[in-house]
Amino acid sequence: IVFSLKQYLKEAVVIALLYLLYGGIKWVTSRGEKEQVEGARNHIIAAIVGLVVVFLAIFIVSIVLGIFGLELKDLTIPKIVP
């Protein structure tokens, strides 16, 4: 589970950074038009909010597991054996 969570975290960061970069490019190429600048700003805000949500989710899971005396690396996915 730890590997998959780390992988998801990396993917989320890469996607958010690409989305942030896209918003920045839209802002630069908007030529000051109000609607396009607002759209670019919304892309940037969405990317930042997405990153915050991902990191808060990991933080909350870690806190809850800590309350129960567990660590993220202790969790395993049960296998179904027929």
Side-chain angles (χ1 to χ4, degrees), residues 51-70:
L51 277 175
V52 169
V53 167
V54 167
F55 284 113
L56 277 177
I58 297 291
F59 178 72
I60 290 170
V61 167
S62 297
I63 294 290
V64 170
L65 289 176
I67 289 172
F68 291 111
L70 300 171

Side-chain angles (χ1 to χ4, degrees), residues 1 3 5-6 9-10 13-14 17 19 21 30-31 39 41 44 46 54-55 57 59 63 66 68 71 79-80:
I1 288 182
F3 173 75
L5 285 178
K6 287 182 180 179
L9 181 63
K10 288 177 187 177
V13 168
V14 168
L17 289 177
Y19 203 64
L21 183 64
S30 68
R31 296 176 292 193
R41 185 180 313 126
I44 292 169
V54 167
F55 284 113
F59 178 72
I63 294 290
F68 291 111
E71 290 185 24
K79 295 182 181 181
I80 299 174

Side-chain angles (χ1 to χ4, degrees), residues 15-37:
I15 290 170
L17 289 177
L18 289 174
Y19 203 64
L20 187 66
L21 183 64
Y22 176 67
I25 290 171
K26 279 184 67 172
W27 190 312
V28 170
T29 60
S30 68
R31 296 176 292 193
E33 293 182 27
K34 186 175 180 179
E35 291 176 7
Q36 290 182 354
V37 170

Side-chain angles (χ1 to χ4, degrees), residues 68-80:
F68 291 111
L70 300 171
E71 290 185 24
L72 203 54
K73 64 181 179 182
D74 295 338
L75 298 178
T76 59
I77 298 175
K79 295 182 181 181
I80 299 174

